[in-house]
Amino acid sequence: MEHEDPVSQQEIAAAVEAVRSGNTQAYATVVERFQASVMTLCVSLLRDRLAAEELAQDVFVRAYQRLETFDVRRPMKPWLMKITYQLAHERWRTHARQVAQQRAAAENVPTDRCDAGPPNRLLAEEQSAALWQAVQTLSASQRAAVLLYYREGLSIEQAAQAMNITAGSVKTHLFRARSQIRATLEAKGLGGDKS
Amino acid sequence: MNCQEIHARLESTLLRDRDWQWLREAMRHAEQCPSCRARLAETHLLEQRLAALPAVEPSAAFLEAVMSRIAQPTPSAVRASRGSRWGLLQPAVVCLGALGLAVAYLFPAAGQSWLSNLWSSPRLTSGTGLVGYLSQHPPWAILLAGLATLLLVAGLTASDRSPEGALDGHS
């Protein structure tokens, strides 16, 4: 789990103030600090590495454009996660019709797009890969809730704000996700007792 | 607290949020119950593994790509730079007006056009200086209007490529 420690938060606040003062290059500090978190959420939401990288770029560009609205006294990660989730939603809406049309056209054509991403190439350990794949079987909302709450260490309230839903809904997503992940891992013989 | 209660509660509990009182009671029960002990340990392990999901790193060119994109003008900056060109609207209208007057002089509608009447009015033709000279030499008026229009078009095109315009709002 990644935490935004006080020292890191001070560095980020200083970088944001520098950007606001005209030092555009200071924004690199923000990108370097959060690119992995943003990218991981993008890959999980889109399940397509190339599209995810484009989306992650869009997230940082949008964040830069809205930097004036960011409160430097607050942690930046929840703010970025919210932008990520919003942009992913916009992309889903934009491409929903195209995807439906493509799916109809490619019904008989095997595709590996849903397998793109970290499982085989980037995750070294088999169990981590299995866990990642189990997470990818969840619904988009459940995937987002799991990543925001567990991997990114956001609180229930922060995750709820990022996803624009209630805290109760986040918990419901998490409970169902955990149950489904457990079932998926057990079906593969990778349940908790054997881990 | 019995096994059924613990199993049911585990389904709706996030161990990361640490409800210590409930956990103490569950652990006390689990000391004598292998089934609940295993279930608690399995839930704890699953939460730990989810928290430790590896990050997906973007490509090596990611940072450079983002920094390159933010160095380009935002749509609002482009609109702002275009807005400054509206300052050229007035000379454009004057030039086009002059061109229109010249065309009206050369091609009057059988001598009935009010524009040709205006052109030949004593007030205009008796003028001195450049206006008087141009009113008496229409070809020069046409040439001047055309030249001014060309300069205006060239100026508009150049401001589109201006590096200052590209950096608006990013300095």
Side-chain angles (χ1 to χ4, degrees):
Chain A
M1 190 191 309
E2 290 184 5
H3 296 283
E4 200 167 337
D5 59 70
V7 175
S8 172
Q9 192 168 336
Q10 285 176 5
E11 287 175 4
I12 294 302
V16 169
E17 293 296 356
V19 174
R20 286 174 177 168
S21 302
N23 179 10
T24 308
Q25 290 303 312
Y27 194 63
T29 304
V30 175
V31 178
E32 286 176 327
R33 172 66 184 84
F34 296 111
Q35 62 181 8
S37 293
V38 169
M39 182 67 183
T40 304
L41 184 57
C42 289
V43 167
S44 182
L45 290 176
L46 298 185
R47 296 192 283 200
D48 181 314
R49 189 181 168 84
L50 284 178
E53 185 141 338
E54 285 177 16
L55 177 62
Q57 281 187 25
D58 292 345
V59 168
F60 283 107
V61 171
R62 178 74 63 93
Y64 175 82
Q65 291 167 342
R66 292 183 180 176
L67 210 54
E68 288 298 326
T69 66
F70 173 65
D71 183 353
V72 292
R73 293 167 299 181
R74 293 172 177 271
M76 190 173 225
K77 188 189 279 185
W79 186 69
L80 282 173
M81 294 292 109
K82 182 170 188 171
I83 294 176
T84 306
Y85 196 74
Q86 284 174 342
L87 287 183
H89 256 286
E90 285 178 18
R91 191 158 295 201
W92 287 331
R93 279 199 298 270
T94 305
H95 294 290
R97 289 176 191 163
Q98 293 176 350
V99 169
Q101 289 167 352
Q102 287 171 356
R103 190 173 294 162
E107 207 168 22
N108 298 318
V109 179
T111 174
D112 63 348
R113 286 178 74 82
C114 285
D115 294 331
N120 297 323
R121 286 191 298 112
L122 300 180
L123 303 185
E125 298 175 19
E126 182 188 354
Q127 287 185 342
S128 291
L131 184 61
W132 178 271
Q133 285 174 343
V135 169
Q136 296 313 298
T137 64
L138 304 172
S139 71
S141 298
Q142 288 172 347
R143 292 199 301 274
V146 164
L147 285 172
L148 292 175
Y149 178 75
Y150 285 117
R151 211 202 91 74
E152 303 303 336
L154 268 59
S155 67
I156 291 292
E157 288 73 24
Q158 287 172 330
Q161 283 185 349
M163 297 174 68
N164 199 26
I165 57 178
T166 63
S169 297
V170 173
K171 285 185 176 179
T172 302
H173 285 315
L174 288 172
F175 298 146
R176 289 178 181 167
R178 209 172 53 182
S179 175
Q180 189 174 327
I181 290 170
R182 184 184 290 123
T184 304
L185 292 178
E186 284 174 358
K188 291 182 176 180
L190 294 168
D193 293 340
K194 298 173 184 178
S195 302
Chain B
M1 187 175 288
N2 58 38
C3 297
Q4 198 173 7
E5 286 172 344
I6 289 180
H7 284 222
R9 179 70 185 267
L10 268 178
E11 290 300 315
S12 59
T13 293
L14 300 166
L15 295 184
R16 204 192 90 185
D17 282 354
R18 295 183 177 86
D19 180 349
W20 293 115
Q21 187 179 350
W22 178 81
L23 267 179
R24 268 197 297 272
E25 291 178 22
M27 292 296 286
R28 199 176 300 130
H29 168 89
E31 285 174 6
Q32 276 84 42
C33 177
S35 166
C36 287
R37 191 161 60 239
R39 193 61 187 268
L40 268 169
E42 184 244 3
T43 303
H44 177 61
L45 183 64
L46 178 59
E47 289 203 338
Q48 278 191 322
R49 289 174 60 192
L50 286 171
L53 273 171
V56 183
E57 295 290 342
S59 68
F62 182 81
L63 175 62
E64 192 180 344
V66 172
M67 297 307 287
S68 167
R69 283 182 62 183
I70 66 169
Q72 291 170 0
T74 61
S76 58
V78 170
R79 278 195 297 274
S81 70
R82 280 181 183 158
S84 66
R85 281 184 279 153
W86 287 105
L88 296 172
L89 186 63
Q90 283 183 330
V93 169
V94 171
C95 290
L96 289 174
L99 190 62
L101 285 172
V103 170
Y105 177 83
L106 286 179
F107 307 103
Q112 304 299 315
S113 166
W114 68 270
L115 282 172
S116 62
N117 292 336
L118 174 68
W119 190 263
S120 57
S121 73
R123 190 179 298 171
L124 192 62
T125 52
S126 63
T128 56
L130 183 63
V131 173
Y133 179 81
L134 291 177
S135 65
Q136 291 163 19
H137 300 85
W140 285 108
I142 295 171
L143 187 64
L144 193 64
L147 191 62
T149 306
L150 278 175
L151 285 172
L152 184 69
V153 170
L156 287 172
T157 309
S159 69
D160 258 343
R161 297 171 186 164
S162 162
E164 287 80 7
L167 292 174
D168 274 354
H170 295 276
S171 57

